[in-house]
């Protein structure tokens, strides 16, 4: 019973001990982005004007313990989440 | 001679590769499941086959490159064990850092599945049975074959004769029309075209055979 109450409490107060981290992965400047080009072309085909360029990327959301360090997340990006040969990453905490 | 074909969830050219190693190289070939971190020590040749490991999640080859068997493959390849990655295997080799560069989405955005003409550089252990500059026809079947590396890397590959195969035409947007490259020591080859699909007249061509012949000579 105690565990159930604790779980409910955790859910309500989730912000206290968990954290959402957003990792944005984008192609480096100078790396051709065929997907972005195709999206650009399709938007223009739909009649949208004034778009100079489109770059497509990826958003990865991590639900983590609050005490996880920036270095740790950067390490995750370098080792798996981004391919640093072609991609840059940005980390956003809230 | 003992060879291993590495099998990931989503590999689909593992059987064809095993047939090529058995019938053309005459190798005693095992299919090794990626989840088994212990690759037998006596393996003399490693093949990473094509397919869609992990459904191409995150990036093609990204998940497979971090799977349990990869530590053993990296160790063996760095010890000099000849290692061939074809298509998804090439993507896994770049993702694991065994080969430089990256394979991006084809410039046309299309999945490309057809025979292509390649020009061979025969100055590698994998291509020495071809004539230098020989033109061969090998099928490709990929969505992410657009080879990218920074200028310094491309120059290093060129200066050290490490571009084993080049497309005759712009197939997928690859820099320098690169279809296959080797590592610095020359014992690892990654290539997008499928030599194991060109080893029998019933395949429509046998231009892939000489690659496997070269390995018999190397290993004999």
């Amino acid at each position: 019973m105690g565990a159930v109450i604790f779980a409910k409490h955790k859910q309500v107060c989730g912000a206290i001990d968990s954290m959402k981290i957003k990792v944005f992965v984008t192609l480096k400047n100078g790396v051709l982005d065929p997907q972005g080009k195709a999206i650009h072309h399709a938007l223009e085909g739909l009649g949208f004007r004034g778009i100079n360029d489109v770059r497509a990327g990826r958003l990865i959301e991590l639900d983590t313990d609050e005490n996880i360090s920036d270095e740790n997340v950067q390490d995750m990006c370098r080792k798996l989440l981004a391919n640093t040969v072609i991609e840059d990453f940005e980390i956003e905490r809230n | 001679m003992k060879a291993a074909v590495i099998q990931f969830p989503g590999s689909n050219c593992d059987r064809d590769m095993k047939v090529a190693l058995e019938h053309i190289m005459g190798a005693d070939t095992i299919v090794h499941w990626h989840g088994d971190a212990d690759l037998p020590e006596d393996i003399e040749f490693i093949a990473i086959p094509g397919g869609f490991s992990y459904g191409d999640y995150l990036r093609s080859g990204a998940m497979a490159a971090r799977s349990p068997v990869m530590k053993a493959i990296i160790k063996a390849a760095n010890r000099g064990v000849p290692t061939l990655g074809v298509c998804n295997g090439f993507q896994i080799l770049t993702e694991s850092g065994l080969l430089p560069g990256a394979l991006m989405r084809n410039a046309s955005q299309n999945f490309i599945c057809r025979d292509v003409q390649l020009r061979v550089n025969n100055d590698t252990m994998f291509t020495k049975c071809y004539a230098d500059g020989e033109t061969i026809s090998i099928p490709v079947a990929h969505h992410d074959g657009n080879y990218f590396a920074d200028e310094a890397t491309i120059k290093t590959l060129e200066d050290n004769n490490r571009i084993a195969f080049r497309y005759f035409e712009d197939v997928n947007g690859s820099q320098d029309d690169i279809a296959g490259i080797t590592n610095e020591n020359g014992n690892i080859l990654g290539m997008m075209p499928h030599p194991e699909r060109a080893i029998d007249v019933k395949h429509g061509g046998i231009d892939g055979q000489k690659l496997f012949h070269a390995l018999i000579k190397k290993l004999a």
Side-chain angles (χ1 to χ4, degrees):
Chain A
M1 193 63 179
V4 173
I5 292 167
F6 179 67
K8 275 188 181 163
H9 174 76
K10 224 181 141 180
Q11 210 171 7
V12 174
C13 309
I16 290 174
D17 43 19
S18 83
M19 159 169 257
K20 286 250 197 276
I21 296 176
K22 288 183 176 173
V23 175
F24 296 92
V25 182
T26 50
L27 284 174
K28 282 181 197 272
N29 282 336
V31 175
L32 201 74
D33 179 7
Q35 194 177 207
K37 272 204 161 50
I39 295 167
H40 191 176
H41 186 72
L43 285 171
E44 287 183 338
L46 289 170
F48 292 102
R49 292 288 172 263
I51 308 158
N52 297 321
D53 193 21
V54 178
R55 308 279 286 169
R58 173 187 286 119
L59 163 65
I60 299 165
E61 286 186 331
L62 306 173
D63 190 339
T64 67
D65 292 343
E66 198 175 12
N67 57 5
I68 203 161
S69 70
D70 277 346
E71 290 71 30
N72 208 344
V73 182
Q74 283 167 11
D75 206 27
M76 290 178 204
C77 290
R78 279 190 290 265
K79 285 189 175 152
L80 177 64
L81 302 181
N83 179 343
T84 53
V85 175
I86 48 172
E87 294 169 330
D88 287 327
F89 58 85
E90 261 179 58
I91 298 162
E92 182 187 295
R93 288 170 176 264
N94 41 23
Chain B
M1 184 179 76
K2 213 169 159 191
V5 176
I6 311 299
Q7 188 183 50
F8 298 92
S11 294
N12 66 9
C13 302
D14 39 334
R15 186 192 163 277
D16 289 0
M17 184 61 82
K18 185 167 188 275
V19 169
L21 301 188
E22 285 174 343
H23 290 244
I24 311 299
M25 277 171 67
D28 175 11
T29 307
I30 60 162
V31 174
H32 185 91
W33 179 244
H34 79 110
D36 181 356
D38 297 318
L39 193 65
E41 285 283 321
D42 57 349
I43 292 292
E44 295 163 276
F45 178 73
I46 299 167
I48 308 181
F52 298 86
S53 56
Y54 292 89
D56 281 349
Y57 287 0
L58 194 62
R59 299 175 302 274
S60 298
M63 310 303 287
R66 279 84 182 170
S67 72
V69 74
M70 281 312 292
K71 276 189 186 153
I73 291 176
I74 290 168
K75 219 169 117 189
N78 286 336
R79 205 169 63 226
V81 174
T83 303
L84 168 69
V86 170
C87 199
N88 190 217
F90 186 11
Q91 294 160 346
I92 293 168
L93 288 172
T94 56
E95 276 284 343
S96 67
L98 284 171
L99 289 175
L103 291 144
M104 302 180 53
R105 181 54 43 104
N106 294 341
S108 65
Q109 290 282 317
N110 293 320
F111 189 96
I112 299 165
C113 185
R114 62 179 168 89
D115 289 349
V116 297
Q117 305 283 305
L118 303 173
R119 185 176 282 120
V120 182
N121 153 23
N122 75 349
D123 189 23
T124 80
M125 73 157 79
F126 300 90
T127 54
K128 63 183 179 191
C129 289
Y130 294 99
D132 197 29
E134 187 174 340
T135 306
I136 61 172
S137 177
I138 304 274
V140 293
H142 61 247
H143 210 165
D144 297 318
N146 178 355
Y147 183 81
F148 175 88
D150 60 41
E151 270 177 44
T153 304
I154 298 282
K155 189 170 184 319
T156 306
L157 292 173
E158 279 175 351
D159 290 352
N160 296 285
N161 237 356
R162 286 167 51 189
I163 302 170
F165 299 102
R166 275 196 172 94
Y167 303 111
F168 254 83
E169 51 176 323
D170 181 6
V171 169
N172 50 26
S174 288
Q175 282 184 335
D176 232 5
D177 295 323
I178 287 174
I181 57 167
T182 64
N183 65 333
E184 198 178 346
N185 289 331
N187 67 304
I188 305 174
L189 169 68
M191 61 191 294
M192 289 312 295
H194 288 269
E196 81 283 6
R197 294 191 192 176
I199 56 163
D200 189 304
V201 285
K202 290 181 197 137
H203 288 161
I206 56 166
D207 285 356
Q209 280 192 359
K210 285 181 186 169
L211 188 147
F212 298 101
H213 286 155
L215 293 162
I216 305 174
K217 288 188 182 168
K218 166 66 188 170
L219 299 170

